[in-house]
Amino acid sequence: MRDITHFIDGASVAGTSGRYGEVFNPNTGAVQAKVALASPSEVDSAVASALRAQQTWALVNPQRRARVMFEFKRLVEARLEELAELLSSEHGKVIADARGDVQRGLDVIEFACGVPHAMKGEYTEGAGPGIDVYSMRQPLGVVAGITPFNFPAMIPMWMFGIAIAVGNSFILKPSEKDPSVPVRLAELMLEAGAPKGVLNVVQGDKTAVDAILNHPDIKAVSFVGSSDIAAYVYAHGTATGKRVQAMGGAKNHGILLPDADFEQATKDIVGAAYGSAGERCMALPVVVPVGRKAAEEIRERVLAEIETLKVGLSTDPAAQYGPVVTAAHKTRIEDYIQIGVDEGAELVADGRGFKLQGYENGFFIGPSLFDGVKPSMRTYQEEIFGPVLQIVRAETLEEAIALPSGHQYGNGVAIFTRNGRAAREFASRVNVGMVGINVPIPVPVAYHTFGGWKRSAFGDINQHGMEGVRFYTKTKTVTARWPEGAQDDSAFVIPTMQ
Ligand code: NAD
């Protein structure tokens, strides 16, 4: 059986813990590899390597660091197919979607190629007599990223792309469910010219996460995953003096006004709800039609559309989505469907019991649709993270704004309408971090920033774009005077720039 190892100081490291996680082939349900789970000693050696590397890496000028990013981008692009296949084989998303996972990460690498510009500081000439003030951005040192299973290429690249470009070294603790692609990315970063130790991968679970949070030489932690763990990482990381950004779960709503283009909106909603088997933090698992007519129409259209959806092998180019990531996750989703039935929602389409011929042990779930979902229901309040769409009916736009605004999660939201004024008001008032107007999955482009509100993100600095540069650097401000002769200022009063 294939062993998936750590990648520390530029080399594959088997680890000493004797603990392993199972990596499945979600298409067949079989275990395809075992991944080493770190003990704190692997985190220690990764940090020691990262500390050594960072001292010289930070002195490499920004343009040269950018060249490494250009080369990394070229290498990843040249291996896009291989990486997408590897990613898909462990995650279960279809190959086209896996390509998108790598590509969206590369978009951030492309942004990181502009690091010389992004790191430029500010300068004020003559802030006082003969006094100039300037500020510069300096890297933090060794920083770490802890990532979820659902974007094993994109989310690591969100983090290490910018962190490394600005002069840090990085410790990546990827999800133990699909850990191979992160190691390939670290190998390619080394090949691209980043010195060994600049990007280390430590495989593992809570033990590795806790070792990262407790390590005094790690200065910042970026986390993406579910909200309870995000809250834990934020609380513990900040308690040990680190800078922490921790993105959590989501329950994104799609508001559907009666004047929307229903044909387009149906395609958008179905794609965003069921694509990648609903395992996206920017999926659209709730649709809120405003008014009875809109509700009846979208229910009918979605039902017709999902009857034609092709659920298949992740390697099948005709499949619209593949299996979910593990048997445990499949059971969790199916349990939520049962809870929905028990709490009185109407199960219009039931995806449980879906079997793909010849792959009966694969982790497949067909598309499910609920109508009559009420805000008081647990299945509305919690994240299901599977191919399940819930219709929550509203009477007015006011009610439709209140639903996502009052929800515990506030990652993304979308509105479908032809009414510019309603869309504008919605975007301005809704209490959610990322808004789509006739755009079902409003993931911002790499040079803007990504971040939800409420329990979808802890900490106040977003991922990527200039917020990413801010997160991975600290500002130093210099006030300089070059005296011509003796000064008669008192050294005992606070200087003012009169
Ligand atoms: P998860 O919270 O189970 O795991 C995330 C990371 O935390 C992994 O690296 C995992 O090894 C680690 N971890 C797991 N249990 C831990 C524990 N008890 N203590 C410390 N660390 C632990 O999340 P997941 O299932 O891999 O990913 C899906 C979740 O991530 C969903 O909730 C989804 O909404 C969320 N997500 C959010 C965003 C966002 O940007 N807001 C993006 C992608 C995914």
CSV table of all heavy atoms in Angstrom, one decimal, residues 146-150 155 158 173-177 204-206 209 223-226 229 232 247-250 281 383 385 411 450 456, ligand 1:
chain,number,residue,atom,x,y,z
A,146,ILE,N,-3.4,25.4,8.2
A,146,ILE,CA,-4.1,24.1,8.5
A,146,ILE,C,-5.3,24.1,7.6
A,146,ILE,O,-6.1,25.1,7.6
A,146,ILE,CB,-4.5,24.1,10.0
A,146,ILE,CG1,-3.3,24.2,10.9
A,146,ILE,CG2,-5.3,22.8,10.3
A,146,ILE,CD1,-3.6,24.6,12.3
A,147,THR,N,-5.4,23.1,6.8
A,147,THR,CA,-6.4,23.2,5.7
A,147,THR,C,-7.4,22.0,5.7
A,147,THR,O,-7.1,21.0,6.2
A,147,THR,CB,-5.6,23.3,4.3
A,147,THR,OG1,-4.7,22.2,4.2
A,147,THR,CG2,-4.9,24.5,4.2
A,148,PRO,N,-8.6,22.3,5.0
A,148,PRO,CA,-9.6,21.3,5.0
A,148,PRO,C,-9.5,20.3,3.8
A,148,PRO,O,-8.7,20.5,2.9
A,148,PRO,CB,-10.9,22.1,4.9
A,148,PRO,CG,-10.4,23.2,4.0
A,148,PRO,CD,-9.0,23.5,4.4
A,149,PHE,N,-10.4,19.3,3.8
A,149,PHE,CA,-10.3,18.3,2.7
A,149,PHE,C,-10.8,18.8,1.4
A,149,PHE,O,-10.5,18.3,0.4
A,149,PHE,CB,-11.0,17.0,3.1
A,149,PHE,CG,-12.5,17.1,2.9
A,149,PHE,CD1,-13.0,16.8,1.7
A,149,PHE,CD2,-13.4,17.4,4.0
A,149,PHE,CE1,-14.4,16.9,1.5
A,149,PHE,CE2,-14.7,17.5,3.8
A,149,PHE,CZ,-15.3,17.2,2.5
A,150,ASN,N,-11.7,19.8,1.5
A,150,ASN,CA,-12.5,20.1,0.3
A,150,ASN,C,-11.8,20.8,-0.9
A,150,ASN,O,-12.3,20.8,-2.0
A,150,ASN,CB,-13.9,20.7,0.6
A,150,ASN,CG,-13.7,22.1,1.1
A,150,ASN,OD1,-12.8,22.4,1.8
A,150,ASN,ND2,-14.7,22.9,0.8
A,155,ILE,N,-6.7,25.9,-1.3
A,155,ILE,CA,-6.6,26.6,0.0
A,155,ILE,C,-5.1,26.6,0.5
A,155,ILE,O,-4.6,27.6,0.9
A,155,ILE,CB,-7.6,26.0,1.0
A,155,ILE,CG1,-9.0,26.4,0.5
A,155,ILE,CG2,-7.3,26.6,2.4
A,155,ILE,CD1,-10.2,25.8,1.4
A,158,TRP,N,-3.7,29.4,-1.4
A,158,TRP,CA,-4.1,30.7,-0.9
A,158,TRP,C,-3.1,31.2,0.1
A,158,TRP,O,-2.8,32.4,0.3
A,158,TRP,CB,-5.4,30.6,-0.1
A,158,TRP,CG,-6.7,30.6,-0.8
A,158,TRP,CD1,-6.9,30.6,-2.2
A,158,TRP,CD2,-8.0,30.5,-0.2
A,158,TRP,NE1,-8.3,30.6,-2.4
A,158,TRP,CE2,-8.9,30.5,-1.2
A,158,TRP,CE3,-8.4,30.3,1.1
A,158,TRP,CZ2,-10.3,30.4,-1.0
A,158,TRP,CZ3,-9.8,30.3,1.4
A,158,TRP,CH2,-10.7,30.3,0.3
A,173,LYS,N,-0.2,22.0,7.3
A,173,LYS,CA,-0.8,20.8,7.8
A,173,LYS,C,-2.1,20.5,7.1
A,173,LYS,O,-3.1,21.1,7.4
A,173,LYS,CB,-1.1,21.0,9.3
A,173,LYS,CG,-1.1,19.7,10.2
A,173,LYS,CD,-2.1,18.7,9.8
A,173,LYS,CE,-3.5,19.0,10.1
A,173,LYS,NZ,-4.5,18.1,9.5
A,174,PRO,N,-2.0,19.7,6.0
A,174,PRO,CA,-3.2,19.5,5.2
A,174,PRO,C,-4.2,18.6,5.8
A,174,PRO,O,-3.9,17.9,6.9
A,174,PRO,CB,-2.6,18.9,3.9
A,174,PRO,CG,-1.3,18.3,4.3
A,174,PRO,CD,-0.9,19.0,5.5
A,175,SER,N,-5.3,18.4,5.2
A,175,SER,CA,-6.3,17.4,5.7
A,175,SER,C,-5.7,16.0,5.5
A,175,SER,O,-5.1,15.7,4.5
A,175,SER,CB,-7.6,17.5,4.9
A,175,SER,OG,-8.4,16.4,5.2
A,176,GLU,N,-6.0,15.2,6.5
A,176,GLU,CA,-5.5,13.8,6.4
A,176,GLU,C,-6.3,13.0,5.5
A,176,GLU,O,-6.0,11.8,5.2
A,176,GLU,CB,-5.4,13.2,7.8
A,176,GLU,CG,-6.7,13.1,8.6
A,176,GLU,CD,-7.2,14.4,9.3
A,176,GLU,OE1,-7.0,15.5,8.8
A,176,GLU,OE2,-7.7,14.2,10.4
A,177,LYS,N,-7.5,13.6,5.0
A,177,LYS,CA,-8.3,12.8,4.1
A,177,LYS,C,-7.8,12.8,2.7
A,177,LYS,O,-8.0,11.8,1.9
A,177,LYS,CB,-9.7,13.4,4.1
A,177,LYS,CG,-10.4,13.2,5.5
A,177,LYS,CD,-11.8,13.8,5.5
A,177,LYS,CE,-12.3,13.8,6.9
A,177,LYS,NZ,-13.1,15.0,7.3
A,204,GLY,N,-1.1,15.1,9.5
A,204,GLY,CA,-1.5,14.8,10.8
A,204,GLY,C,-2.9,15.2,11.2
A,204,GLY,O,-3.7,15.6,10.3
A,205,ASP,N,-3.2,15.0,12.4
A,205,ASP,CA,-4.6,15.3,13.0
A,205,ASP,C,-4.5,16.3,14.1
A,205,ASP,O,-3.6,17.2,14.1
A,205,ASP,CB,-5.2,14.0,13.4
A,205,ASP,CG,-4.3,13.2,14.4
A,205,ASP,OD1,-3.3,13.7,14.8
A,205,ASP,OD2,-4.7,12.0,14.7
A,206,LYS,N,-5.3,16.2,15.1
A,206,LYS,CA,-5.3,17.2,16.2
A,206,LYS,C,-4.0,17.3,16.9
A,206,LYS,O,-3.6,18.4,17.3
A,206,LYS,CB,-6.4,16.7,17.2
A,206,LYS,CG,-6.5,17.6,18.4
A,206,LYS,CD,-7.7,17.3,19.3
A,206,LYS,CE,-7.8,17.9,20.6
A,206,LYS,NZ,-7.4,19.3,20.7
A,209,VAL,N,-2.0,19.6,15.0
A,209,VAL,CA,-2.6,21.0,15.1
A,209,VAL,C,-2.2,21.6,16.4
A,209,VAL,O,-1.7,22.8,16.5
A,209,VAL,CB,-4.1,20.9,14.9
A,209,VAL,CG1,-4.7,22.3,15.2
A,209,VAL,CG2,-4.4,20.5,13.5
A,223,PHE,N,-6.1,29.1,9.3
A,223,PHE,CA,-6.9,27.9,9.4
A,223,PHE,C,-8.1,28.0,8.5
A,223,PHE,O,-8.7,29.1,8.4
A,223,PHE,CB,-7.4,27.6,10.8
A,223,PHE,CG,-8.3,26.4,10.9
A,223,PHE,CD1,-7.8,25.2,11.2
A,223,PHE,CD2,-9.7,26.6,10.8
A,223,PHE,CE1,-8.7,24.1,11.3
A,223,PHE,CE2,-10.6,25.5,10.9
A,223,PHE,CZ,-10.1,24.3,11.1
A,224,VAL,N,-8.5,26.9,7.8
A,224,VAL,CA,-9.8,26.8,7.1
A,224,VAL,C,-10.3,25.4,7.4
A,224,VAL,O,-9.6,24.4,7.2
A,224,VAL,CB,-9.6,27.0,5.6
A,224,VAL,CG1,-11.0,26.9,4.9
A,224,VAL,CG2,-9.1,28.4,5.2
A,225,GLY,N,-11.6,25.4,7.9
A,225,GLY,CA,-12.2,24.1,8.2
A,225,GLY,C,-13.6,24.4,8.8
A,225,GLY,O,-14.2,25.4,8.5
A,226,SER,N,-14.0,23.5,9.6
A,226,SER,CA,-15.4,23.6,10.2
A,226,SER,C,-15.3,24.6,11.4
A,226,SER,O,-14.2,24.9,12.0
A,226,SER,CB,-15.9,22.3,10.6
A,226,SER,OG,-15.0,21.6,11.5
A,229,ILE,N,-13.9,23.8,15.1
A,229,ILE,CA,-12.4,23.7,15.1
A,229,ILE,C,-11.8,25.0,14.8
A,229,ILE,O,-10.8,25.4,15.4
A,229,ILE,CB,-11.9,22.6,14.1
A,229,ILE,CG1,-12.8,21.4,14.0
A,229,ILE,CG2,-10.4,22.3,14.3
A,229,ILE,CD1,-12.5,20.3,14.9
A,232,TYR,N,-11.8,26.9,18.0
A,232,TYR,CA,-10.7,26.3,18.9
A,232,TYR,C,-9.3,26.8,18.5
A,232,TYR,O,-8.5,27.3,19.3
A,232,TYR,CB,-10.8,24.8,18.8
A,232,TYR,CG,-9.7,24.0,19.4
A,232,TYR,CD1,-9.7,23.8,20.8
A,232,TYR,CD2,-8.6,23.6,18.6
A,232,TYR,CE1,-8.6,23.1,21.4
A,232,TYR,CE2,-7.5,22.9,19.2
A,232,TYR,CZ,-7.5,22.7,20.6
A,232,TYR,OH,-6.5,22.0,21.2
A,247,MET,N,-11.0,30.4,9.2
A,247,MET,CA,-12.3,30.4,8.4
A,247,MET,C,-13.1,29.2,8.8
A,247,MET,O,-12.5,28.1,8.9
A,247,MET,CB,-12.0,30.4,6.9
A,247,MET,CG,-11.7,31.8,6.3
A,247,MET,SD,-10.4,32.7,7.1
A,247,MET,CE,-10.7,34.3,6.5
A,248,GLY,N,-14.4,29.3,8.9
A,248,GLY,CA,-15.2,28.2,9.4
A,248,GLY,C,-16.3,27.8,8.3
A,248,GLY,O,-16.1,28.0,7.1
A,249,GLY,N,-17.3,27.1,8.8
A,249,GLY,CA,-18.3,26.5,8.0
A,249,GLY,C,-19.3,27.6,7.4
A,249,GLY,O,-19.0,28.8,7.5
A,250,ALA,N,-20.3,27.1,6.7
A,250,ALA,CA,-21.1,28.0,5.9
A,250,ALA,C,-22.5,27.4,5.7
A,250,ALA,O,-22.7,26.2,5.9
A,250,ALA,CB,-20.5,28.3,4.6
A,281,CYS,N,-17.4,25.3,0.6
A,281,CYS,CA,-17.9,26.2,1.6
A,281,CYS,C,-18.7,27.3,1.0
A,281,CYS,O,-19.3,28.1,1.6
A,281,CYS,CB,-16.7,26.8,2.4
A,281,CYS,SG,-15.7,27.8,1.4
A,383,GLU,N,-24.7,23.1,9.1
A,383,GLU,CA,-24.2,22.8,7.8
A,383,GLU,C,-24.2,21.3,7.5
A,383,GLU,O,-23.8,20.5,8.3
A,383,GLU,CB,-22.7,23.3,7.8
A,383,GLU,CG,-22.0,23.1,6.5
A,383,GLU,CD,-20.5,23.5,6.6
A,383,GLU,OE1,-19.8,23.2,7.6
A,383,GLU,OE2,-20.0,24.2,5.6
A,385,PHE,N,-23.2,20.0,4.3
A,385,PHE,CA,-22.0,19.8,3.4
A,385,PHE,C,-22.2,18.6,2.5
A,385,PHE,O,-21.2,17.7,2.4
A,385,PHE,CB,-20.8,19.7,4.3
A,385,PHE,CG,-19.6,20.4,3.7
A,385,PHE,CD1,-19.6,21.7,3.4
A,385,PHE,CD2,-18.4,19.7,3.6
A,385,PHE,CE1,-18.5,22.3,2.8
A,385,PHE,CE2,-17.2,20.3,3.0
A,385,PHE,CZ,-17.3,21.6,2.7
A,411,ASN,N,-21.0,33.2,5.4
A,411,ASN,CA,-19.9,33.1,4.4
A,411,ASN,C,-20.3,33.8,3.1
A,411,ASN,O,-19.8,34.9,2.8
A,411,ASN,CB,-19.5,31.7,4.1
A,411,ASN,CG,-18.1,31.4,3.9
A,411,ASN,OD1,-17.2,32.1,4.5
A,411,ASN,ND2,-17.7,30.5,3.1
A,450,PHE,N,-11.0,37.0,0.4
A,450,PHE,CA,-12.0,36.0,0.7
A,450,PHE,C,-12.2,35.9,2.2
A,450,PHE,O,-11.2,35.7,2.9
A,450,PHE,CB,-11.5,34.6,0.2
A,450,PHE,CG,-12.5,33.5,0.4
A,450,PHE,CD1,-13.2,33.0,-0.7
A,450,PHE,CD2,-12.7,33.0,1.7
A,450,PHE,CE1,-14.2,31.9,-0.5
A,450,PHE,CE2,-13.7,31.9,1.9
A,450,PHE,CZ,-14.4,31.4,0.8
A,456,SER,N,-18.5,32.1,10.3
A,456,SER,CA,-17.8,31.6,9.1
A,456,SER,C,-16.3,32.1,9.1
A,456,SER,O,-15.5,31.6,8.3
A,456,SER,CB,-18.5,32.0,7.8
A,456,SER,OG,-19.7,31.4,7.7
B,1,NAD,P1,-12.4,20.0,9.6
B,1,NAD,O1,-12.7,21.1,10.5
B,1,NAD,O2,-12.8,18.6,10.0
B,1,NAD,O3,-10.8,19.9,9.4
B,1,NAD,C1,-10.0,21.0,9.0
B,1,NAD,C2,-8.6,20.8,9.5
B,1,NAD,O4,-8.7,20.7,11.0
B,1,NAD,C3,-8.0,19.6,9.0
B,1,NAD,O5,-6.6,19.8,8.7
B,1,NAD,C4,-8.1,18.6,10.2
B,1,NAD,O6,-7.0,17.7,10.3
B,1,NAD,C5,-8.0,19.5,11.4
B,1,NAD,N1,-8.8,19.0,12.5
B,1,NAD,C6,-9.8,18.1,12.5
B,1,NAD,N2,-10.3,17.9,13.8
B,1,NAD,C7,-9.5,18.6,14.6
B,1,NAD,C8,-9.5,18.8,16.0
B,1,NAD,N3,-10.4,18.2,16.8
B,1,NAD,N4,-8.6,19.6,16.5
B,1,NAD,C9,-7.7,20.3,15.8
B,1,NAD,N5,-7.7,20.2,14.4
B,1,NAD,C10,-8.6,19.3,13.8
B,1,NAD,O7,-13.0,20.4,8.2
B,1,NAD,P2,-13.1,19.5,6.9
B,1,NAD,O8,-14.2,18.5,7.1
B,1,NAD,O9,-11.8,19.1,6.4
B,1,NAD,O10,-13.6,20.6,5.8
B,1,NAD,C11,-14.9,21.0,5.7
B,1,NAD,C12,-15.3,22.2,6.5
B,1,NAD,O11,-14.4,23.3,6.1
B,1,NAD,C13,-16.7,22.7,6.2
B,1,NAD,O12,-17.2,23.1,7.4
B,1,NAD,C14,-16.5,23.8,5.3
B,1,NAD,O13,-17.6,24.8,5.3
B,1,NAD,C15,-15.3,24.4,5.8
B,1,NAD,N6,-14.6,25.3,4.8
B,1,NAD,C16,-14.6,26.6,5.0
B,1,NAD,C17,-14.0,27.4,4.1
B,1,NAD,C18,-14.0,28.9,4.3
B,1,NAD,O14,-13.2,29.6,3.6
B,1,NAD,N7,-14.8,29.5,5.1
B,1,NAD,C19,-13.4,26.9,2.9
B,1,NAD,C20,-13.4,25.5,2.8
B,1,NAD,C21,-14.0,24.7,3.7
